[in-house]
Amino acid sequence: MQSLKNYNPTYFLDDFKGTYYSGEWPTLPEIFTITVKRFGSRNAFTDWDTDDNSKRTYSYETVYQQVQNLAQWMIEKGIVKGDKIAVTGKNSPEWATVYLAALFAGATICPMDYALHENELENLLSTACPKMLFVDTEKFDYFNNKKNNYSVFALNRKNQNYVYTLKASKEIQLNQMPAENDIAAILFTSGTTGKPKGVMLSHRNLVSDAFIAQYNMIINEQDVFYALLPIHHAYTMLAVFIESICIGAEIVFGKSMAVSKLMKELKEGKITMLLGVPLLFNKLAAGILKGIKEKGPLVNALMKILMEVSYLIKIFTGINIGHKLFAPVLKQANINTIRIAICGGGPLAKSVFKLYNKMGIDFVQGYGLTETSPIIALNPVQHFKIQSVGQYFAGHMEMKILNPNEDGVGEICVKGPMVMQGYYHMPEETTKMFTEDGWFKTGDLGWIDKENYLMLSGRCKNMIVTEGGKNVYPEEIEDSFQLETDIQQITVQGYIANEDKKSEELEALIYPSDSLFEKLNIKREDNSPAASEQIYKTISNIVSKINKELQPYQRITKITILEKPLEMTTTMKVKRNYKK
């Protein structure tokens, strides 16, 4: 394994500075052009969106030509520098082509969440005011048949005005190219019912973050990244899409978390870099453990011993024997080609983190926010800490804890080239996010150790203060339940246990999994007292077991069983805007 010591991921840029770019960092069109120059014949985009579900792959040279064609057409149709172009749809080569072409045409791209309802997307569009909208097939007719202030075009070949058929009538010069500090993308993070909050990220923000992240992670053109999570989200957009086009790696576009498609794409795509959220890795982990248990108690016990040995050898020697030792198990789960797995979008349970490393997969966590492009901490593979969401990139950015308490826990603040330009048309909201001396306030609570590893505690606004004055971070408690397959969703919140004292204790809102109902032979719609009592008793036993592992002030004292799941974000986290 190549060492991170003295590793410089930007080593090749010096050969292109002055000819292909002139700023401190290349723009996205410039770095993509450099990559085409370096690795033009290599695979760039892959998916299975064909009539017979066969694999289709485009090389970097082919993608470059498709991008050039579309950018020229955009300019011919009146796009000028600074115009907005919106894109919303499933992960696909077409989505990525629109993204790049908009930037080559000098426009700002506005990626939008395809899972939103049409009226919610309309709210975003009315804020962004794009000149063009590229949309996938399920929503194409809705937007195409409406009277809009923007033109509508298709990401899917089944619709008219399909992206790959749009070409200029003559050769058009791309003379509106963006500068380093121009806004590349506006990412809408919230506000779908009110005024949406759009995070403005410059070319410098995105390109610098893609390269700075590599100081803790060695990747190269031979890697295959899996774009499974929605690509409009900052995490996938940067850590998969932009990261890949900066180094010449291949991107496999996944469109669904359906198990059959997931297994097919993992196997046929020969994925080496798997980026996901806790929900995805918990599902895969549960499948692995289930497969081992089914082999019987003797095999199960032996595997546990071997995994512990594998983990100890890796920790103390750096040698990864697990990948070969457990090759049959990994192959059965179609993850045997994975070189590195990265979890973001929320802290992962230590037990899950440890499981993957025991099995021989280099598994690490990262941390960031949309406003920071997003990566600001990443565990180095060769020196990871299970309890940490990553080591921040000292020397390339700054991080500090604002107003730490006696345990060193306070609000995480950062400075660096990846910090956003502000919120779109929201100067007052932007000002609130920064200290007077220019530090960006993340809104997250945590502490930093002596080696610059960040330990995350929770969100400032979610913190619960108990009667004894103890600070409780609900996310830490929720993480303890990640391997409990009988629970699909758990959200911890405070409740007033004693009205006189106004003392606050912890309540768990729990949505049981389908597998629990199957195990108890109960239908979910069965609301009889007997069925409800069985479900409550089983859930209560799980909570009691976890409570024993927690500090007294962290223990759950009230359980509420939910009939419907709480609304979730794109990265599978519960939206904490619910009402009891």
Side-chain angles (χ1 to χ4, degrees):
M1 184 185 292
Q2 188 179 352
S3 172
L4 282 169
K5 189 177 180 181
N6 300 322
Y7 175 66
N8 178 14
T10 65
Y11 72 94
F12 66 89
L13 288 179
D14 288 342
D15 295 337
F16 296 92
K17 192 160 189 175
T19 52
Y20 282 76
Y21 77 102
S22 56
E24 180 187 1
W25 295 96
T27 63
L28 282 163
E30 286 168 343
I31 193 61
F32 185 69
T33 303
I34 290 169
T35 297
V36 173
K37 179 74 173 175
R38 297 176 72 209
F39 304 114
S41 62
R42 294 193 65 86
N43 292 347
F45 298 163
T46 291
D47 74 352
W48 285 263
D49 191 12
T50 55
D51 292 334
D52 61 355
N53 292 318
S54 60
K55 190 177 179 181
R56 65 168 179 168
T57 298
Y58 300 115
S59 70
Y60 270 95
E61 287 171 344
T62 300
V63 172
Y64 182 77
Q65 192 56 58
Q66 291 167 335
V67 167
Q68 293 290 303
N69 291 342
L70 186 57
Q72 290 181 37
W73 173 86
M74 288 174 172
I75 291 174
E76 185 178 65
K77 292 300 178 182
I79 292 297
V80 298
K81 190 172 182 179
D83 280 347
K84 313 295 186 302
I85 293 176
V87 58
T88 184
K90 297 183 289 293
N91 296 359
S92 68
E94 289 89 344
W95 190 102
T97 300
V98 170
Y99 187 106
L100 290 168
L103 301 180
F104 270 88
T108 295
I109 191 72
C110 299
M112 295 178 180
D113 186 352
Y114 197 56
L116 294 175
H117 297 299
E118 284 85 349
N119 65 312
E120 294 174 319
L121 281 170
E122 284 185 294
N123 193 34
L124 297 187
L125 290 163
S126 66
T127 299
C129 298
K131 291 282 185 70
M132 294 178 173
L133 168 65
F134 289 82
V135 62
D136 225 327
T137 190
E138 294 85 357
K139 294 183 171 72
F140 178 80
D141 287 341
Y142 177 88
F143 287 102
N144 192 48
N145 294 333
K146 288 181 68 69
K147 186 177 181 180
N148 303 308
N149 294 322
Y150 46 83
S151 304
V152 178
F153 305 96
L155 293 175
N156 192 290
R157 65 189 182 284
K158 296 174 183 176
N159 301 110
Q160 60 184 350
N161 293 326
Y162 172 49
V163 59
Y164 284 156
T165 65
L166 306 176
K167 295 181 182 179
S169 60
K170 60 182 179 181
E171 188 77 18
I172 303 288
Q173 290 297 314
L174 301 182
N175 54 9
Q176 303 178 167
M177 298 290 274
E180 182 183 357
N181 291 310
D182 286 343
I183 303 302
I186 300 176
L187 307 186
F188 292 95
T189 62
S190 61
T192 54
T193 55
K195 186 177 180 182
K197 187 180 288 185
V199 177
M200 297 186 293
L201 299 175
S202 68
H203 289 264
R204 181 175 185 262
N205 288 152
L206 295 167
V207 174
S208 69
D209 201 45
F211 280 102
I212 288 171
Q214 293 178 51
Y215 282 97
N216 283 8
M217 181 75 62
I218 296 175
I219 53 178
N220 58 51
E221 72 279 3
Q222 296 180 29
D223 277 312
V224 181
F225 285 73
Y226 193 20
L228 179 61
L229 300 174
I231 198 170
H232 77 276
H233 191 274
Y235 177 33
T236 310
M237 190 187 78
L238 190 287
V240 177
F241 173 45
I242 293 175
E243 203 72 73
S244 294
I245 65 171
C246 283
I247 63 168
E250 181 180 357
I251 308 169
V252 169
F253 293 90
K255 302 184 193 317
S256 163
M257 274 206 199
V259 175
S260 59
K261 287 189 176 182
L262 176 64
M263 291 297 105
K264 174 186 172 72
E265 290 165 358
L266 282 170
K267 184 178 181 179
E268 295 183 18
K270 295 181 171 58
I271 309 299
T272 67
M273 299 291 296
L274 179 61
L275 288 83
V277 292
L279 180 66
L280 170 65
F281 290 116
N282 290 337
K283 278 187 174 182
L284 288 173
I288 291 170
L289 292 174
K290 183 181 178 183
I292 293 172
K293 285 179 182 177
E294 287 174 351
K295 296 184 182 297
L298 187 62
V299 173
N300 190 21
L302 179 61
M303 286 289 285
K304 284 184 177 179
I305 293 170
L306 290 174
M307 283 194 287
E308 289 298 331
V309 171
S310 167
Y311 184 72
L312 290 172
I313 290 173
K314 185 176 184 181
I315 291 295
F316 290 109
T317 70
I319 299 172
N320 184 357
I321 67 167
H323 208 271
K324 289 185 178 180
L325 189 62
F326 303 111
V329 178
L330 298 177
K331 190 171 184 179
Q332 187 177 5
N334 290 334
I335 56 175
N336 55 305
T337 60
I338 292 173
R339 188 170 69 84
I340 300 174
I342 304 173
C343 185
L348 189 72
K350 294 176 186 177
S351 55
V352 181
F353 194 141
K354 200 170 181 179
L355 173 67
Y356 283 98
N357 277 292
K358 285 177 181 179
M359 298 292 290
I361 291 177
D362 287 328
F363 192 100
V364 296
Q365 293 194 79
Y367 166 73
L369 301 90
T370 302
E371 289 88 342
T372 58
S373 300
I375 306 171
I376 49 176
L378 186 64
N379 260 294
V381 169
Q382 294 147 311
H383 185 38
F384 63 87
K385 295 186 180 182
I386 283 182
Q387 68 273 29
S388 173
V389 292
Q391 183 184 46
Y392 79 85
F393 310 100
H396 306 284
M397 60 166 287
E398 297 175 84
M399 182 180 287
K400 73 173 183 178
I401 301 300
L402 187 66
N403 301 322
N405 63 15
E406 64 275 10
D407 297 319
V409 175
E411 185 173 7
I412 303 158
C413 296
V414 297
K415 275 185 180 182
M418 67 286 291
V419 175
M420 69 168 181
Q421 306 304 294
Y423 294 121
Y424 185 57
H425 290 169
M426 288 180 144
E428 291 182 4
E429 290 292 326
T430 300
T431 300
K432 290 177 185 176
M433 297 303 295
F434 292 86
T435 63
E436 289 185 2
D437 54 349
W439 287 84
F440 173 75
K441 299 184 290 183
T442 66
D444 285 327
L445 296 166
W447 58 280
I448 303 169
D449 73 7
K450 293 179 181 178
E451 293 183 288
N452 296 327
Y453 284 78
L454 175 64
M455 319 298 165
L456 206 59
S457 298
R459 293 290 294 172
C460 290
K461 62 184 179 182
N462 297 336
M463 187 176 73
I464 300 163
V465 182
T466 67
E467 183 183 15
K470 292 287 188 180
N471 295 339
V472 178
Y473 310 106
E475 295 89 345
E476 291 183 342
I477 300 167
E478 292 158 5
D479 291 344
S480 303
F481 288 83
Q482 286 187 12
L483 281 181
E484 298 298 332
T485 55
D486 289 338
I487 293 176
Q488 181 172 321
Q489 217 181 56
I490 178 167
T491 300
V492 174
Q493 63 180 15
Y495 77 100
I496 302 300
N498 186 314
E499 285 292 341
D500 293 332
K501 295 182 179 179
K502 297 294 180 184
S503 59
E504 198 169 18
E505 295 184 15
L506 304 183
E507 174 186 14
L509 307 180
I510 294 175
Y511 183 68
S513 66
D514 290 339
S515 60
L516 175 58
F517 284 90
E518 291 171 10
K519 186 167 69 176
L520 297 177
N521 197 24
I522 298 172
K523 291 185 177 180
R524 193 179 281 278
E525 58 270 21
D526 184 353
N527 293 319
S528 67
S532 298
E533 185 179 348
Q534 264 191 290
I535 293 294
Y536 186 88
K537 184 177 179 181
T538 305
I539 294 295
S540 182
N541 288 338
I542 295 171
V543 171
S544 296
K545 180 185 73 173
I546 298 296
N547 268 345
K548 291 175 183 176
E549 301 170 4
L550 300 171
Q551 295 296 323
Y553 63 87
Q554 294 178 309
R555 290 172 185 163
I556 294 163
T557 58
K558 181 180 178 182
I559 299 169
T560 299
I561 305 296
L562 302 174
E563 293 183 3
K564 294 181 180 179
L566 294 168
E567 188 180 358
M568 301 186 82
T569 67
T570 301
T571 51
M572 308 303 169
K573 292 183 289 189
V574 168
K575 291 185 177 180
R576 294 183 185 269
N577 57 354
Y578 49 80
K579 292 182 180 179
K580 290 169 57 179

